[in-house]
Amino acid sequence: HTFTSTSNIEMSKGCGGKGHGHPIRHAFKVLCPEQMMGSLIGSKGSVRDQIQDETGCRLIASNRDDHYPGTRYRILLMYADDNQRIVAALNRVVDKILEFGNQERATMADHPQNEYDYIGKEHGEYVLRAIIPVKASGAIIGTGGSNIQAIRSQWNAKVFIDKTTMSSHQLVKIIAGQNGIRGATEAINEFVQEESKSDGFQEWAMIRSFGPHSAEAPNSSANGGGRDWGTAGASSSYGGASSSGKGHYVPPPPGKGLSSAQQDHRPLPRRISPHAKRDRSDHTSSGHHHHSQHTSGSNGIHTQPPM
């Protein structure tokens, strides 16, 4: 693949700099369907300029037909000196997901699909896709899957991390209700920003293109297995391909008694803070680590393609 980086000068224009170039302090990358990307950019970049002015976050979009490997989605890069500016821009993206998700839901009976761009399979669910640094995935997961379970429990969210890596990137998919999608996305962003202090983040942040034919890449996220996160007490293996060749996800823990729609009316709880301690064993590539012992029952793992 041909990887394209964004220059420091281009970055500084929207990150509080004066065009002289300086290190990126915070960055996040969202995958956008063409329709949503066009809406975020606007005619001659008018909407993008407005978002940049109001949030202080620099937005850079990959070129048309320049997709993240194995997907049909373009990459929207966010750069800022302050993490709260990233959060503000992410909220604008979530607004668009809700807008287009409601439109997609209204027409889904006439246009059935195996998987939709903006909505999940359950009523009231929305989907946000992002790409994160490989090193951040271990922190998101946490020791024994503790952090990923906390996000699921707190935000009634499903979180899928694809096992396939592409130039130190991994695809993450967040599925939740209206409030849950905001909270879970912010929690994922917190872990990514913790990684911004580490070596290699600058190089990761500056990659904005994976080549014009990246959607046809073999062994990519559309074809590979995923990382599995079981309910408490269920098996949860990290890094191994699933037997079906597709990724796995697990629904939110049973017994919560709240639908996605009901979840949206609950007061927003405090977001969890990322732990500084990382489970470095999660970064191994052997694919043979197991976080818990398998137990049988109704909390089985359900398969779903990563995209």
Side-chain angles (χ1 to χ4, degrees), residues 72-148:
R72 57 182 180 273
Y73 304 123
R74 293 169 64 184
I75 305 166
L76 179 67
L77 297 89
M78 303 176 176
Y79 302 109
D81 283 339
D82 188 317
N83 181 34
Q84 289 307 307
R85 296 180 178 183
I86 297 283
V87 172
L90 278 172
N91 276 322
R92 300 300 183 88
V93 170
V94 172
D95 289 342
K96 292 295 183 182
I97 290 175
L98 299 181
E99 175 187 343
F100 288 117
N102 290 336
Q103 295 177 14
E104 193 171 50
R105 185 170 285 111
T107 60
M108 62 186 299
D110 297 328
H111 305 282
Q113 301 179 39
N114 290 330
E115 186 167 8
Y116 296 88
D117 289 332
Y118 308 101
I119 59 175
K121 293 183 177 180
E122 302 296 329
H123 179 72
E125 287 183 340
Y126 299 89
V127 180
L128 183 144
R129 298 171 180 85
I131 45 177
I132 61 174
V134 170
K135 291 182 178 180
S137 65
I140 293 170
I141 294 157
T143 304
S146 58
N147 290 343
I148 204 83

Side-chain angles (χ1 to χ4, degrees), residues 171-188:
L171 188 152
V172 59
K173 183 167 66 172
I174 305 164
I175 307 173
Q178 183 170 328
N179 285 340
I181 198 74
R182 292 186 192 276
T185 299
E186 185 172 346
I188 297 296

Side-chain angles (χ1 to χ4, degrees), residues 256-301:
K256 293 297 179 182
L258 290 175
S259 66
S260 295
Q262 291 171 320
Q263 152 75 15
D264 294 340
H265 294 290
R266 290 195 301 175
L268 296 180
R270 292 192 313 167
R271 69 172 184 267
I272 61 173
S273 299
H275 301 293
K277 182 178 180 181
R278 309 293 175 83
D279 183 5
R280 292 301 179 186
S281 66
D282 283 343
H283 297 308
T284 61
S285 58
S286 62
H288 299 296
H289 297 280
H290 298 276
H291 292 316
S292 57
Q293 190 69 26
H294 175 75
T295 59
S296 60
S298 60
N299 297 330
I301 295 177

